[in-house]
Amino acid sequence: MSAQPDHAPVTPYAPAPGTPAELLAQLRADPRADTWVPAFEREWAAALEESRRTFSLAGLYEVVQDWQGRLASAAAVDAFVAGGCDDSAFIDMAELRRRRR
């Protein structure tokens, strides 16, 4: 018998050191830059402060991964909106939570 696990451990996502700067440059070049850049900077600053308190980079990695996803899906969202698809059945979960309070 071996003491080795029978599965490979999951390696957490770790972006390259220059990824946040590259991501910010992409956000600045996007048509939504007026709203996206300040939002990214707020989230990055909060994650950086958390990282200083906890000595963990997980929050910073999460911010990068979230914004990479937003950029990657932006074209599909634009196409959906431009296609005139009916999204009137959309449920605003934030609104529902406010109503329940």
Side-chain angles (χ1 to χ4, degrees), residues 3-18:
Q4 298 296 320
D6 49 340
H7 65 281
V10 177
T11 305
Y13 170 78

Side-chain angles (χ1 to χ4, degrees), residues 2-34:
S2 171
Q4 298 296 320
D6 49 340
H7 65 281
V10 177
T11 305
Y13 170 78
T19 302
E22 293 168 8
L23 181 59
L24 186 55
Q26 290 174 347
L27 290 171
R28 286 183 175 143
D30 192 273
R32 300 165 197 80
D34 291 345

Side-chain angles (χ1 to χ4, degrees), residues 78-93:
D78 290 344
F80 175 82
V81 171
C85 296
D86 180 16
D87 64 347
S88 61
F90 173 74
I91 298 173
D92 185 352
M93 295 305 292

Side-chain angles (χ1 to χ4, degrees), residues 6-96:
D6 49 340
H7 65 281
V10 177
T11 305
Y13 170 78
T19 302
E22 293 168 8
L23 181 59
L24 186 55
Q26 290 174 347
L27 290 171
R28 286 183 175 143
D30 192 273
R32 300 165 197 80
D34 291 345
T35 55
W36 279 16
V37 170
F40 172 79
E41 289 173 339
R42 278 192 305 273
E43 290 181 27
W44 183 258
L48 189 57
E49 185 56 37
E50 177 188 345
S51 176
R52 288 181 180 135
R53 284 186 290 106
T54 63
F55 298 100
S56 171
L57 298 175
L60 294 169
Y61 294 169
E62 185 177 326
V63 169
V64 168
Q65 197 168 21
D66 287 350
W67 281 95
Q68 285 174 328
R70 287 180 183 136
L71 274 174
S73 63
V77 171
D78 290 344
F80 175 82
V81 171
C85 296
D86 180 16
D87 64 347
S88 61
F90 173 74
I91 298 173
D92 185 352
M93 295 305 292
E95 180 64 26
L96 286 177

